[in-house]
Amino acid sequence: MLDSSFYTKTDEILSKYPAQERSLIPIIHEIQETYNYVPIELLPYIAKHIGITETKAYSVASFYERFSFEPKGKFIIRVCDGTACHVRQSLPVLERLRSELGLSDKKHTTDDMLFTVETVSCLGACSLAPALMVNEHVHPAMTPDKATELLKELREEASKS
């Protein structure tokens, strides 16, 4: 059950778009930007506002990999496992991150909601392989030791804010 602040913020977002089906993806995108995930409880509310079925809203939101129904951490770390990154040893980087954060292939987000670690098929940064992305910033030529240092920097950044 979401508290009323989620609906208040959703109303602000909805007011920016025409109440039409074509607004669904931009609305969901902005909700995800706001919360780092799409609270599934908001989909019926959005659907009613723009005049579509709940099923339609859910099918669109679940179709796109970029949308997530699970809460994510403040820092979303995406480790590339595309061909170039894989060949240049992205898996040891992923393993180090998971080990240091107490995560696994089943558990992606730390209990303190600071970090989420995911794998992606490609970041489009093949010449920088192995690469990972923290939120929207690409980190090139990653190694397990650089990943450990990066986590330290992110923790320091989080403690300042």
Side-chain angles (χ1 to χ4, degrees), residues 119-138:
T119 57
V120 294
S121 298
C122 185
L123 290 175
C126 300
S127 65
L128 305 175
L132 63 77
M133 183 178 258
V134 177
N135 297 340
E136 300 302 319
H137 186 262
V138 175

Side-chain angles (χ1 to χ4, degrees), residues 92-93 96 100 141-152:
V93 172
R96 175 73 64 91
E100 296 230 356
M142 196 52 55
T143 66
D145 290 341
K146 285 183 180 180
T148 296
E149 185 59 32
L150 178 60
L151 289 176
K152 180 181 172 191

